[in-house]
Amino acid sequence: MDTLVLVWDLRTGEKVHTLKGHQLQVTGLALDNGDIVSSSVDCTLNRWRKGQAVESWEAHKSAIQTIVKLPSGELATGSSDTTIKLWKGKTCTQTFAGHTDTVRGLAVMSDLGILSASHDGSIRLWALTGEVLLEMVGHTSIVYSVDSHVSGLILSGSEDRFAKIWKDGVCVQGIEHPGCVWDAKFLENGDIVTACSDGVVRVWTIHQDKIADPLDLELYSSQLAQYTLSRKRVGGLKLEDLPGLEALQIPGTSDGQTKVVREGDNGVAYAWNLGEGKWDKIGEVVDGPDDGMKRPVLDGIEYDYVFDVDIGDGEPIRKLPHNRSDNPYDTADKWLLKENLPLSYRQQIVEFILQNTGQKDFTPDPAFRDPFTGSSAYVPGEYSKSATVAKPAFKHIPKKGMLVFDIAQFDGILKKITELNSALHSDQEKKHLALSELEISRLGALVKVLKDTSHYHSSKLADSDIAVLLSAIKSWPTTMIFPVIDTLRMVVLHPDGATLFLKHVEAENDTLMEIIKRVTENPSLPANLLTSIRLVTNLFKKSSFFNWLQRHRVEVLDAFSSCYSSPNKNLQLSYSTLILNYAVLLIDKKDQEGQSQVLSAALEIAEEENLEVDSKFRVLVAIGSLMLDGLVKRIALDFDVDNIAKAAKTSKDAKIVEVGTDIELLTKAS
């Protein structure tokens, strides 16, 4: 931050040189044949030799965030202008364009090329020719750092509080932290070290003899659980305020009555089954809004502040909402878009917010203070002018990567399967359908493997375990199969589980189509529909299922088409997620006929009035992505997508407004 580069003697710990020359903070250093080359937010690279400045040049038009020396002898730089540049001396030999936001971290991948981490949430592996070899999408926020290991594994650290490990472009492990992961690096032995915004450095090991004391592990788990719980809201209530499972001992009063209870770290919805006199599990509840105390309300949403803004010229007073935890630049962007005001007002609005919230030095949350910019995680708006003119800045499209349902209450699922199995055992007519004690014990072992996500890259599943699940789904009464399907939903997220299941799917009697037919022919059971649609949605995580998903898209979408009009919000969200994943897949496959079908389904859902916010958002992102990157823009225009965009812009939810604006921009560009 002080703009200096300091050179230290490692033997004495004393400072040898103070290198002055940069105008703004220094963001990176590389050693180049005895010289030091430094990068800075002032857009320049400086070369230093024996304590003296040798040369300086403007390397990018926006802040340079990172620099790395390549085995080829060239230097690579990443910038807020979204590009990566290769340098031989002061000559730029190559520019890599592809990221849609700041390139924040770079690393060398032995014998393959360059890794980049970006504020757009993705990681890319580039060949030195500029070709993208892999794009890794899985983080839900800014990715700050990336590193590689000789084993071929890739490591990334993000503001979403996860360090993630990638193999062949697939995330094989996510390590959760109680704060932003600013940096993550491999040690030579394959262990990992992370730097977290809670001020703690942690080493994560693959070696059994190095694992920390059980007490330390317990303490960390409890710290993580406490951190998660303190932030968790379900349906507007604190998770800890929800009743426990004992609430299910009280019978319901009417068929279909719902109740939300706390199970572990999640809120889970149950529906009263009058015919059988029991509560059927529907599924996890999507988090609701914060339940803030006595805060100002605008359009039914509570904020820390709601300001009156007078923009003059006889215009009416406008209401500007803002939360202290939000980035003022984001607030200004969203508000100007919603109010249809020129983006040239942006800086004035930001200064107005800072002045009226007492945030002169703008540090919304000390835990998320960017060590490079010194302010909140990232101040956007540093693109080069030519970049923004050439390509409209869309907020939410196109969608990259697939969404999955990867949270499960394993203990609850296993308990339910055991209960149902006991019921079969005690019924003389159905006794032959029950699983043996050995099979139930094997399911317990299977669940143990599925729980241990940190070893997904090395753990194995047995084909016999998959066979037990499929046999139960096929032979058990329809009312009993939902927890078994739910287990299968998690099995397919395990690399080995997906491979084993694929064999059954590709067999002559396609097991998956049989499951889909069985649950959709009796659609009165929401729990069966929900678990099976999430099972199919999770298949999109594995490219080995892409051909099956593309081939069977008509049957799959038709089978679940009733879900979007269901009063069950979880079913709506699951179907919208299926639609969005199909849009991403069929754009990639350049399948025009498939894109038309998905677009048609998405447009139909978007017009549904009683649609839950996240469901609406996902179908709108699907529509926008199909219009931008797909082959069906003309069809969307013929179906009055303009009206859908206008309706979205009147929403009370900011992200719906933003994606509505994205779609409107596309319609105007036609």
Side-chain angles (χ1 to χ4, degrees):
M1 290 293 289
D2 62 11
T3 76
L4 305 176
V5 176
L6 304 180
V7 184
W8 304 83
D9 185 321
L10 289 183
R11 288 162 303 180
T12 63
E14 289 179 0
K15 187 165 58 180
V16 180
H17 298 299
T18 299
L19 310 180
K20 296 181 183 176
H22 284 297
Q23 302 303 306
L24 294 168
Q25 52 264 51
V26 180
T27 55
L29 295 170
L31 293 179
D32 188 27
N33 301 326
D35 292 349
I36 296 167
V37 182
S38 55
S39 64
S40 167
V41 171
D42 66 13
C43 307
T44 67
L45 293 176
N46 282 8
R47 184 179 289 276
W48 315 85
R49 192 173 294 152
K50 295 177 181 171
Q52 298 296 318
V54 180
E55 58 187 1
S56 172
W57 69 99
E58 185 183 87
H60 290 263
K61 293 294 181 188
S62 293
I64 306 170
Q65 299 284 359
T66 177
I67 182 169
V68 68
K69 172 79 178 285
L70 304 180
S72 63
E74 292 168 292
L75 295 169
T77 54
S79 163
S80 292
D81 65 10
T82 78
T83 69
I84 299 160
K85 294 194 176 203
L86 302 193
W87 301 89
K88 269 190 181 161
K90 286 169 69 173
T91 306
C92 176
T93 59
Q94 186 91 288
T95 300
F96 300 171
H99 280 298
T100 57
D101 207 334
T102 293
V103 177
R104 184 56 178 269
L106 292 174
V108 173
M109 181 102 184
S110 296
D111 304 324
L112 281 174
I114 306 169
L115 286 163
S116 59
S118 170
H119 287 193
D120 65 14
S122 74
I123 301 132
R124 288 183 174 216
L125 171 61
W126 309 77
L128 292 182
T129 53
E131 179 193 356
V132 178
L133 302 176
L134 280 178
E135 183 175 21
M136 288 152 272
V137 181
H139 283 294
T140 56
S141 191
I142 292 169
V143 188
Y144 288 111
S145 64
V146 65
D147 195 25
S148 75
H149 188 253
V150 288
S151 63
L153 294 178
I154 292 166
L155 172 67
S156 55
S158 164
E159 188 168 289
D160 65 10
R161 303 191 297 107
F162 276 87
K164 294 201 171 199
I165 301 163
W166 309 80
K167 184 179 182 183
D168 302 327
V170 175
C171 179
V172 291
Q173 186 182 348
I175 305 175
E176 191 175 3
H177 287 66
C180 168
V181 182
W182 285 122
D183 207 354
K185 289 277 186 287
F186 277 111
L187 300 178
E188 279 184 24
N189 67 356
D191 286 352
I192 285 164
V193 60
T194 57
C196 179
S197 65
D198 66 352
V200 181
V201 173
R202 295 177 176 89
V203 180
W204 308 84
T205 184
I206 53 173
H207 300 99
Q208 292 299 314
D209 57 331
K210 289 188 178 179
I211 294 174
D213 183 273
L215 202 61
D216 289 338
L217 297 178
E218 184 72 30
L219 193 66
Y220 181 67
S221 294
S222 132
Q223 183 188 355
L224 209 52
Q226 202 50 47
Y227 183 91
T228 310
L229 272 175
S230 67
R231 278 155 177 72
K232 189 104 183 196
R233 297 285 186 277
V234 176
L237 294 170
K238 280 188 176 178
L239 180 69
E240 48 224 19
D241 291 344
L242 291 175
L245 283 167
E246 66 280 357
L248 300 178
Q249 290 168 5
I250 304 163
T253 52
S254 60
D255 197 37
Q257 175 195 347
T258 56
K259 183 179 278 192
V260 180
V261 299
R262 186 179 71 252
E263 284 188 26
D265 292 345
N266 292 287
V268 179
Y270 284 81
W272 180 245
N273 183 329
L274 192 61
E276 297 188 25
K278 65 184 181 68
W279 291 98
D280 287 337
K281 183 173 177 178
I282 301 171
E284 286 164 26
V285 179
V286 180
D287 289 354
D290 197 312
D291 62 336
M293 299 289 287
K294 295 179 182 172
R295 302 194 303 163
V297 176
L298 180 65
D299 297 333
I301 301 170
E302 292 176 333
Y303 296 93
D304 291 337
Y305 305 95
V306 175
F307 301 115
D308 287 331
V309 182
D310 183 0
I311 58 172
D313 298 330
E315 291 276 343
I317 298 288
R318 316 279 179 112
K319 297 284 185 186
L320 168 62
H322 178 68
N323 289 318
R324 283 189 71 86
S325 59
D326 291 343
N327 183 324
Y329 285 85
D330 275 350
T331 297
D333 285 347
K334 289 172 186 173
W335 185 74
L336 291 169
L337 277 171
K338 188 174 182 187
E339 297 288 342
N340 283 320
L341 293 170
L343 288 173
S344 55
Y345 287 1
R346 184 182 199 238
Q347 195 57 38
Q348 280 174 269
I349 298 297
V350 170
E351 285 166 11
F352 173 88
I353 293 168
L354 296 181
Q355 191 175 344
N356 287 281
T357 56
Q359 291 174 278
K360 293 284 171 59
D361 299 321
F362 182 31
T363 50
D365 176 352
F368 288 80
R369 185 182 166 87
D370 190 325
F372 282 70
T373 62
S375 60
S376 80
Y378 169 51
V379 179
E382 293 183 342
Y383 300 117
S384 63
K385 281 178 184 152
S386 59
T388 45
V389 170
K391 187 178 180 184
F394 296 110
K395 276 270 185 182
H396 298 288
I397 57 173
K399 173 77 180 82
K400 298 285 184 188
M402 304 296 187
L403 296 171
V404 293
F405 294 97
D406 56 2
I407 295 170
Q409 293 297 319
F410 284 113
D411 295 342
I413 293 170
L414 199 55
K415 187 181 172 197
K416 191 70 183 172
I417 291 174
T418 311
E419 281 174 13
L420 294 169
N421 196 58
S422 300
L424 287 172
H425 230 290
S426 53
D427 184 330
Q428 285 306 316
E429 289 179 18
K430 297 175 182 170
K431 195 171 184 176
H432 65 287
L433 300 175
L435 302 179
S436 67
E437 274 186 39
L438 177 63
E439 287 171 328
I440 287 287
S441 148
R442 284 297 311 152
L443 281 186
L446 169 73
V447 162
K448 196 174 178 185
V449 173
L450 294 178
K451 273 181 172 180
D452 186 11
T453 53
S454 57
H455 290 93
Y456 268 29
H457 57 293
S458 58
S459 59
K460 296 288 180 192
L461 300 180
D463 195 30
S464 55
D465 295 340
I466 313 293
V468 167
L469 290 174
L470 295 177
S471 168
I473 293 170
K474 195 172 181 178
S475 62
W476 280 18
T478 313
T479 52
M480 292 184 165
I481 60 177
F482 63 92
V484 191
I485 300 173
D486 215 18
T487 310
L488 191 57
R489 161 179 76 94
M490 299 307 290
V491 163
V492 300
L493 294 177
H494 187 288
D496 195 43
T499 306
L500 293 172
F501 182 54
L502 185 62
K503 290 180 196 166
H504 293 275
V505 171
E506 289 178 337
E508 200 172 324
N509 55 334
D510 180 338
T511 309
L512 185 52
M513 279 315 299
E514 284 183 358
I515 294 172
I516 292 170
K517 282 174 185 161
R518 184 156 193 226
V519 299
T520 53
E521 280 166 7
N522 188 353
S524 58
L525 295 168
N528 280 352
L529 273 181
L530 188 68
T531 49
S532 54
I533 193 172
R534 289 183 168 185
L535 161 64
V536 175
T537 303
N538 283 2
L539 297 179
F540 284 86
K541 188 171 182 187
K542 305 294 176 190
S543 57
S544 52
F545 283 97
F546 285 178
N547 286 336
W548 185 94
L549 288 161
Q550 186 180 10
R551 201 165 61 245
H552 292 283
R553 61 177 164 71
V554 175
E555 299 109 298
V556 170
L557 292 173
D558 284 353
F560 293 113
S561 60
S562 64
C563 294
Y564 82 87
S565 54
S566 165
N568 184 319
K569 304 290 185 194
N570 289 303
L571 272 179
Q572 288 182 12
L573 183 67
S574 302
Y575 185 63
S576 298
T577 310
L578 180 69
I579 289 287
L580 181 52
N581 281 356
Y582 256 122
V584 175
L585 173 65
L586 298 170
I587 288 168
D588 187 54
K589 297 281 189 184
K590 297 184 172 48
D591 178 344
Q592 186 168 359
E593 189 185 336
Q595 289 174 30
S596 303
Q597 187 198 359
V598 173
L599 176 69
S600 169
L603 290 167
E604 193 177 357
I605 304 168
E607 290 175 344
E608 181 74 20
E609 286 181 16
N610 299 317
L611 205 59
E612 187 264 337
V613 166
D614 282 333
S615 303
K616 178 155 274 195
F617 176 70
R618 289 181 184 183
V619 294
L620 289 171
V621 171
I623 292 167
S625 300
L626 285 163
M627 289 176 69
L628 180 64
D629 277 358
L631 307 164
V632 289
K633 185 175 180 182
R634 174 47 51 201
I635 298 172
L637 295 170
D638 291 345
F639 277 92
D640 281 340
V641 75
D642 200 22
N643 288 333
I644 288 172
K646 282 175 183 161
K649 287 184 69 182
T650 63
S651 170
K652 293 174 184 175
D653 189 272
K655 65 185 181 187
I656 300 282
V657 173
E658 289 165 8
V659 73
T661 306
D662 284 351
I663 294 171
E664 189 178 65
L665 272 174
L666 278 170
T667 60
K668 285 178 178 169
S670 59

